[in-house]
Amino acid sequence: MSPNVPLDTVGVIGLGYIGLPTAAVLAQAGKRVIGVDVKQSSVDAINAGEVPFVEEGLETVLAGVVAKGKLSAQVETPEADAYIVSVPTPFIGDHDADLSYIEAAARGIAPKLKGGELVVLESTSPPGATEHMANVILSERSDLTSDVERPNSVYFSHAPERVLPGRIMIEMAENDRIIGGTTPEAAELNRDLYASFCQGELLLTDARTAEMAKLTENAFRDVNIAFANELSLIADRQGIDVWELIELANHHPRVNILQPGPGVGGHCIAVDPWFIVSAEREVSKLIATARGVNDSKPQMVIEKVLGRANRFKDPTVAALGIAFKANIDDLRESPSRNIAGALADQLDHGTVLVVEPNVHELPPELDKRSNVELADLDSALERADIVLLLVDHDPFKEIDRELLHEKIVIDTKGLWR
Ligand code: SAJ
């Protein structure tokens, strides 16, 4: 049975790609939500009902809950019945997780606690991070405990997010959710809170298993994409169309190979497997190798383009797409963005025309180069000697194939087969 404590007000710490949608759906479910972010510009935008990034369906929900006074944002951590910590966990050193943002959030929460609150860690974290967060809070507050038998206990839990960028508003409501408490009571209390907005199954476990489950899901996908990427290299040398090969093999009832591409991007699949490797380096050989295979794919694409560009004095390359995947504006950890930059560096007297329908300006490292331009699709196709397809954005699917006729085409996604 879950502890009998209120869960009416919720402080969401970190209003990024996951924290903000979580805050919005909690407010929509009737909670009074106070969002916290260190960035004043994000706080101001959110209080005006505006979303500082692109995510289908979020703006409507956000504008509604802000107008009703159910959600507001501020820079200081408030008093609340429950807290959700959704802050970044970047790398430090040799792919270890930097827990300093979690520690800072914990130190912000500690002075606001009275006892009886739930503190949920949502950030993707290495095993042990939830216990670490609890220790940071309890070391600042010796009057509180995580021992549920004693008065003034605080409940600590991990509920990793598993939503897919681009489908966040749907998946946040529908996906099953893993909830791991540092005690069973904490997991139950966390379930009560998440049941308010999540119709998926809520699966209870301990915090360490929940942490590993999230990392395992993304490592599974990474290893399987690495298999597809390795196949693409083998197939290239063998003169075989890798997409046809995979399509045929996938007809087997127990085979389901993923798709090769220019590399693996985003802030999750290219990052999370390292947290497993860094926790257990000696026995994570397959996971580490898969990371290496996926990370080496952009270099293979670069070499292919340079090899074909040789024959031109002043080659013009149209790089179609620099987002980390189709139909989003997220350029973080994007292999395509890095490929465009490397080509600009390495093409002697060449020009790179970047076509990215989801952004209005180039990221700074591309913008500052004199031989890189943000171009519209039509003019890039007209001017290019080499058309390099890097992201399978919808507008690229509809390109008139006649326009590619005279060009050298390098299609890393198999879009125009
Ligand atoms: N990719 C391929 N081949 C494929 C599938 C993907 O090359 O067959 C590439 C994509 O182009 C992209 C990268 O992998 O560069 C990651 O894209 P994705 O769509 O597979 O995943 P993300 O990073 O957008 O979201 C993942 C999801 N995890 C899983 O599917 C196991 C999502 O559910 C998680 O919530 C998210 O990571 C996260 O936040 O951890």
Side-chain angles (χ1 to χ4, degrees):
M1 219 181 63
S2 50
N4 188 18
V5 296
L7 292 170
D8 301 326
T9 56
V10 186
V12 177
I13 319 296
L15 297 173
Y17 286 81
I18 300 302
L20 184 57
T22 306
V25 295
L26 273 164
Q28 198 181 26
K31 303 291 180 193
R32 169 73 183 104
V33 181
I34 305 127
V36 177
D37 203 284
V38 289
K39 224 168 145 188
Q40 186 67 48
S41 59
S42 292
V43 166
D44 294 342
I46 292 160
N47 284 329
E50 290 160 14
V51 180
F53 49 88
V54 173
E55 184 59 48
E56 173 81 22
L58 174 56
E59 188 123 318
T60 319
V61 176
L62 183 77
V65 290
V66 169
K68 279 194 195 137
K70 296 302 275 182
L71 172 66
S72 58
Q74 58 190 49
V75 174
E76 309 81 36
T77 306
E79 283 189 3
D81 300 325
Y83 295 89
I84 295 176
V85 175
S86 187
V87 294
T89 39
F91 290 142
I92 193 168
D94 182 12
H95 297 111
D96 298 328
D98 174 2
L99 300 184
S100 60
Y101 294 92
I102 296 177
E103 289 162 0
R107 280 193 290 272
I109 293 169
K112 306 293 175 184
L113 299 173
K114 299 189 177 87
E117 293 89 349
L118 168 69
V119 184
V120 180
L121 177 63
E122 277 223 14
S123 311
T124 304
S125 302
T130 311
E131 287 157 31
H132 179 68
M133 177 185 75
N135 290 338
V136 171
I137 291 178
L138 295 177
S139 67
E140 303 245 329
R141 291 292 303 271
S142 52
D143 54 323
L144 299 174
T145 170
S146 60
D147 178 354
V148 294
E149 301 295 322
R150 291 172 43 200
N152 294 341
S153 91
V154 180
Y155 302 89
F156 298 100
S157 179
H158 182 55
E161 60 78 15
R162 301 145 92 201
V163 287
L164 196 71
R167 280 179 48 85
I168 289 181
M169 298 309 279
I170 299 165
E171 293 205 356
M172 201 156 262
E174 292 179 1
N175 284 5
D176 294 345
R177 210 66 205 240
I178 297 170
I179 293 179
T182 58
T183 60
E185 291 78 3
E188 280 158 16
L189 198 57
N190 191 164
R191 175 178 53 197
D192 291 350
L193 179 63
Y194 279 39
S196 67
F197 67 87
C198 177
Q199 284 97 55
E201 215 179 317
L202 301 171
L203 307 152
L204 271 46
T205 181
D206 59 84
R208 216 167 253 268
T209 309
E211 286 155 353
M212 263 306 282
K214 162 73 195 227
L215 304 179
T216 299
E217 291 161 8
N218 281 350
F220 168 86
R221 202 154 162 85
D222 197 44
V223 168
N224 283 278
I225 298 170
F227 180 67
N229 276 334
E230 186 162 290
L231 277 180
S232 76
L233 303 178
I234 297 166
D236 244 15
R237 289 184 178 213
Q238 292 284 326
I240 291 170
D241 176 342
V242 70
W243 287 280
E244 184 191 1
L245 173 71
I246 290 173
E247 206 174 289
L248 293 172
N250 281 349
H251 274 269
H252 186 289
R254 285 174 296 284
V255 174
N256 187 9
I257 303 168
L258 293 177
Q259 297 298 305
V264 169
H267 40 288
C268 310
I269 294 190
V271 175
D272 300 359
W274 285 119
F275 293 172
I276 301 180
V277 175
S278 119
E280 293 298 345
R281 214 166 273 276
E282 258 179 45
V283 288
S284 312
K285 296 202 170 61
L286 175 65
I287 296 171
T289 302
R291 273 286 66 246
V293 169
N294 287 334
D295 275 352
S296 68
K297 194 68 202 292
Q299 186 55 33
M300 303 294 172
V301 175
I302 293 162
E303 284 167 20
K304 202 170 189 175
V305 177
L306 294 177
R308 301 285 180 87
N310 270 340
R311 71 185 74 165
F312 301 97
K313 207 162 133 261
D314 306 306
T316 298
V317 178
L320 305 195
I322 53 165
F324 88 82
K325 65 174 187 177
N327 304 322
I328 58 169
D329 68 342
D330 193 339
L331 308 184
R332 292 178 296 167
E333 314 277 342
S334 168
S336 319
R337 169 182 177 174
N338 294 339
I339 290 169
L343 286 175
D345 272 348
Q346 293 173 44
L347 277 173
D348 294 328
H349 311 294
T351 304
V352 178
L353 304 174
V354 171
V355 182
E356 181 42 79
N358 300 305
V359 304
H360 303 297
E361 54 190 40
L362 287 171
E365 85 281 2
L366 293 180
D367 196 35
K368 70 174 191 218
R369 288 175 216 250
S370 57
N371 62 342
V372 180
E373 290 172 37
L374 185 63
D376 66 69
L377 184 56
D378 291 341
S379 75
L381 289 179
E382 198 185 312
R383 291 167 62 193
D385 302 306
I386 300 177
V387 178
L388 172 63
L389 187 285
L390 292 168
V391 185
D392 45 344
H393 288 316
D394 286 345
F396 302 157
K397 289 184 186 155
E398 283 131 35
I399 288 175
D400 178 359
R401 303 296 195 273
E402 283 295 307
L403 299 174
L404 302 174
H405 209 59
E406 308 267 282
K407 315 282 177 185
I408 293 178
V409 175
I410 301 175
D411 176 0
T412 68
K413 297 295 287 184
L415 194 70
W416 298 325
R417 297 176 50 226

